[in-house]
RNA sequence: GGAGAGAUGGCUGAGUGGUUGAAAGCGGCGGUCUUGAAAACCGUUGAGCUCGUAAGGGCUCCGGGGGUUCGAAUCCCUCUCUCUCCGCCA
């Protein structure tokens, strides 16, 4: 949610910023609705005040034994017009709130302007794509015939876009999870957290997967409105919903392993081969809750923490600053990490690190007590993958293959594989 | 799944229709005393919205939503959650 005060005071500024995303808002119409809201709110409050004052006088009159019938009749008439004004106000207010909930975050001034993902800006490159002296295979060719990776059985069990992992690959998958959690908790100072994988609508509204991106979610059948999490960002960030965090508790840094579930609506025919795009995948998510003045330093830090995973695995990657056309709904600024995949002969997204500033915090009513003012103020929230497990697994498989189709185990993972150096 | 009890401010807890945004205690903050600290004493201490240049007004909130009433923390309906007992269960 954008700052309502900013909407009121400088709507043109908001409109100009959103235009860079390709979002056009009707400034005149919005201003008119806002004007209405103000009028009705003031009128409602005036009538409420009158009712309160008169009702109190009835109490006083009654206590002194006077006849109160005329007084009561007067206030009764007042009640009707109050009710009507209240209803009008509620309607306008709800309309305004619903509209604002659909507006994305403003982008930071450092975000490159663009028209499509083509305009994302490369920030830095780490490592170089390996030159194989044979034709590298992709993860599907490397793993399916050995039955380490089994898409057919997954379809039988569920449907397309699921996978079954077996034996050494299942173990390698687990090793990656362990390695990442250890790295972030022991070396990067994160607190490990384990959270529900099923959440309510309020949580999804808080991190802004609702109301706008409902079609990307798996909803549970039943009387209650519940959803599978599309990312641990939802439950982890919502831990501070409706809280006032004391200043000395900040920054809060959580590392969370979880499965993620996405319907991938609108991606038919995209990445249908292999386990690049699945309905269910695993991820170690990083979340920061910080003071507003610290959030851009925190974004750099969080991104570096995600990069460290790739560096320790010796996987070549590049960092991209998403442009105004490609950046997510809640984000003010986003870096994507893209890992080199020899099987596709290109870089693919493996992590997305975003500063949402106070956008989610306002929706969640997540605040901290600013010692400078003594008042509760919105925190800033950040999130990033550190990293997506499935895609990291693919990257390891494809980058660490040899001519015989064996997969070598990266050094940092060997302790998690009982010292195993190669799987074949 | 069945039966019962409950949800009040940072916490404990009073309040069952009329100056109650809410007693009291604890905690927090400020002060007096003290070399310092503790104790004691005094003061202070919820959030959101809104009008106003300001000073200062006003509105809303006692788990959520709805209703009754001139007036609701207090009465009614409903939902959610918590606790106790029974059953089931990883």
């Amino acid at each position: 949610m954008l700052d309502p005060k900013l909407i009121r005071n400088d709507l043109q500024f908001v409109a100009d910023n959103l235009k860079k995303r390709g979002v056009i808002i009707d400034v005149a119409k919005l201003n008119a609705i806002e004007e209405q809201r103000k009028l009705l709110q003031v009128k409602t409050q005036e009538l409420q005040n009158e009712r309160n004052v008169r009702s109190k006088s009835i109490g006083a009159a009654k206590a002194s034994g006077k006849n109160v019938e005329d007084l009561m009749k007067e206030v009764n008439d007042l009640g009707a017009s109050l009710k009507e004004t209240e209803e009008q106000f509620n309607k306008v207010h709800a309309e305004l709130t619903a509209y604002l909930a659909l507006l994305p975050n403003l982008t930071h001034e450092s975000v490159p302007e663009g028209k499509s993902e083509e305009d994302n800006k490369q920030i830095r490159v780490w490592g170089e794509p390996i030159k194989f002296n044979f034709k590298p295979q992709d993860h599907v060719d490397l793993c399916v015939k050995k039955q380490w990776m089994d898409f057919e059985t997954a379809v039988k069990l569920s449907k397309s876009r699921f996978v079954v992992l077996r034996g050494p690959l299942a173990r390698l998958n687990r090793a990656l999870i362990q390695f990442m959690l250890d790295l972030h908790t022991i070396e990067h100072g994160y607190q490990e957290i384990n959270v529900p994988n099923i959440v309510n609508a309020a949580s999804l509204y808080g991190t802004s997967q609702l109301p706008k991106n409902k079609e990307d979610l798996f909803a549970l059948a039943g009387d209650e409105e519940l959803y599978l999490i599309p990312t641990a960002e939802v439950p982890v960030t919502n831990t501070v919903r409706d809280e006032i965090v004391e200043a000395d508790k900040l920054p809060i840094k959580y590392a969370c392993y979880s499965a993620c579930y996405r319907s991938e609506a609108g991606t038919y025919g995209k990445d249908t081969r292999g386990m690049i795009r699945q309905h269910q995948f695993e991820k170690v998510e990083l979340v920061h809750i910080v003071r507003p003045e610290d959030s851009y330093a925190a974004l750099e830090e969080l991104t570096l923490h995600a990069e460290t995973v790739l560096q320790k695995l010796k996987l070549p990657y590049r960092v991209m600053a998403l442009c105004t056309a490609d950046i997510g709904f809640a984000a003010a600024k986003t870096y994507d990490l893209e890992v080199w995949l020899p099987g596709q002969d290109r870089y693919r997204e493996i992590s997305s690190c975003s500063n949402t500033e106070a956008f989610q915090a306002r929706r969640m009513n997540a605040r901290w007590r600013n010692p400078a003012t003594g008042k509760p103020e919105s925190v800033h929230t950040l999130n990033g993958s550190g990293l997506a497990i499935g895609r990291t697994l693919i990257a390891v498989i494809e980058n660490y293959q040899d001519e015989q189709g064996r997969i070598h185990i990266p050094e940092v993972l060997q302790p998690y594989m009982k010292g195993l150096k190669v799987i074949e």
Side-chain angles (χ1 to χ4, degrees), chain A residues 105-175:
Chain A
N105 201 359
L106 302 181
T107 47
H108 189 254
E109 57 186 8
S110 65
V111 173
E113 272 194 66
K115 297 222 175 333
S116 76
E117 62 180 289
E118 303 294 309
D119 300 317
N120 293 342
K121 188 175 150 197
Q122 182 173 301
I123 302 296
R124 56 184 170 268
V125 182
W126 188 90
E128 274 178 45
I130 307 161
K131 304 225 169 19
F132 292 92
N133 49 18
F134 57 93
K135 187 176 186 317
Q137 300 176 268
D138 79 353
H139 64 283
V140 179
D141 290 334
L142 282 163
C143 300
V144 168
K145 53 178 171 281
K146 290 171 177 161
Q147 295 197 318
W148 293 343
M149 202 176 273
D150 183 346
F151 294 99
E152 285 176 24
T153 301
V155 168
K156 177 172 75 180
L157 301 178
S158 182
K159 54 179 267 179
S160 66
R161 287 205 197 283
F162 285 91
V163 69
V164 168
L165 300 181
R166 289 198 184 88
L169 207 63
R171 176 170 211 133
L172 185 58
N173 187 73
R174 179 158 53 90

Side-chain angles (χ1 to χ4, degrees), chain A residues 226-292:
Chain A
L226 292 169
Y227 302 85
L228 295 176
I229 56 170
T231 159
E233 170 200 343
V234 178
V236 176
T237 310
N238 272 280
T239 54
V240 293
R241 170 152 53 89
D242 294 319
E243 299 283 335
I244 299 173
V245 183
E246 289 309 322
D248 60 9
K249 295 277 193 301
L250 299 176
I252 297 170
K253 290 160 62 179
Y254 285 127
C256 180
Y257 159 75
S258 87
C260 306
Y261 306 89
R262 297 185 184 177
S263 76
E264 296 296 343
T267 60
Y268 309 108
K270 205 170 165 185
D271 297 318
T272 49
R273 180 178 166 84
M275 56 180 289
I276 278 275
R277 190 176 299 276
Q278 301 278 287
H279 286 308
Q280 175 187 323
F281 64 97
E282 293 166 292
K283 184 155 60 65
V284 169
E285 181 77 357
L286 305 176
V287 168
H288 288 211
I289 314 292
V290 304
R291 302 177 183 214

Side-chain angles (χ1 to χ4, degrees), chain A residues 176-185 188 190 231-233 254-258 260 281-287 301-310 313 335 337 350-354 383-390 392:
Chain A
L176 283 169
I177 297 162
Q178 295 270 73
F179 162 65
M180 290 183 204
L181 282 174
D182 284 350
L183 175 66
H184 295 311
T185 55
H188 296 158
Y190 286 76
T231 159
E233 170 200 343
Y254 285 127
C256 180
Y257 159 75
S258 87
C260 306
F281 64 97
E282 293 166 292
K283 184 155 60 65
V284 169
E285 181 77 357
L286 305 176
V287 168
E301 184 191 299
L302 184 143
T303 306
L304 191 62
H305 290 156
E307 286 179 61
T308 304
V309 177
L310 290 168
L313 290 169
Y335 291 121
L337 305 189
I350 196 167
S351 171
S352 192
C353 304
S354 300
N383 64 82
S385 354
L387 309 163
I389 304 296
T392 310

Side-chain angles (χ1 to χ4, degrees), chain A residues 204-223:
Chain A
L204 287 157
Y205 178 84
T207 34
S208 75
Q209 282 75 20
L210 286 178
K212 209 166 180 190
N213 298 306
K214 193 171 179 177
E215 65 282 359
D216 289 334
L217 301 169
F218 278 112
L220 266 53
D223 297 334

Side-chain angles (χ1 to χ4, degrees), chain A residues 6-191:
Chain A
L6 187 62
I7 300 245
R8 246 168 259 160
N9 299 332
D10 201 350
L11 188 55
Q12 194 55 51
F13 172 81
V14 173
D16 290 345
N17 189 294
L18 290 179
K19 199 177 166 195
K20 295 189 225 165
R21 280 185 182 259
V23 173
I24 306 298
I25 59 175
D26 189 337
V27 174
K29 189 183 161 198
L30 208 53
N31 271 330
I33 296 176
E34 169 55 25
E35 197 62 31
Q36 267 245 295
R37 189 227 94 225
K38 194 170 179 173
L39 217 72
L40 287 166
Q41 183 161 0
V42 170
K43 195 172 164 199
T44 302
Q45 292 186 358
E46 275 171 1
L47 288 168
Q48 282 172 331
N49 181 30
E50 205 172 328
R51 178 202 60 195
N52 292 347
V53 170
R54 294 207 197 182
S55 290
K56 264 179 194 168
S57 77
I58 291 178
K62 225 175 177 178
S64 61
K66 287 179 189 152
N67 189 310
V68 293
E69 264 182 41
D70 290 348
L71 279 171
M72 279 170 64
K73 200 171 173 194
E74 263 181 54
V75 189
N76 202 7
D77 296 340
L78 194 88
S81 72
L82 172 61
K83 197 170 178 183
E84 194 188 326
T85 314
E86 240 172 1
E87 274 167 11
Q88 282 176 23
F89 168 67
N90 287 339
K91 197 170 153 236
V92 170
H93 187 69
E95 192 186 339
L96 203 58
T97 308
Y99 182 75
L100 294 184
L102 296 174
L103 292 182
N105 201 359
L106 302 181
T107 47
H108 189 254
E109 57 186 8
S110 65
V111 173
E113 272 194 66
K115 297 222 175 333
S116 76
E117 62 180 289
E118 303 294 309
D119 300 317
N120 293 342
K121 188 175 150 197
Q122 182 173 301
I123 302 296
R124 56 184 170 268
V125 182
W126 188 90
E128 274 178 45
I130 307 161
K131 304 225 169 19
F132 292 92
N133 49 18
F134 57 93
K135 187 176 186 317
Q137 300 176 268
D138 79 353
H139 64 283
V140 179
D141 290 334
L142 282 163
C143 300
V144 168
K145 53 178 171 281
K146 290 171 177 161
Q147 295 197 318
W148 293 343
M149 202 176 273
D150 183 346
F151 294 99
E152 285 176 24
T153 301
V155 168
K156 177 172 75 180
L157 301 178
S158 182
K159 54 179 267 179
S160 66
R161 287 205 197 283
F162 285 91
V163 69
V164 168
L165 300 181
R166 289 198 184 88
L169 207 63
R171 176 170 211 133
L172 185 58
N173 187 73
R174 179 158 53 90
L176 283 169
I177 297 162
Q178 295 270 73
F179 162 65
M180 290 183 204
L181 282 174
D182 284 350
L183 175 66
H184 295 311
T185 55
I186 297 165
E187 293 184 33
H188 296 158
Y190 286 76
Q191 185 180 18

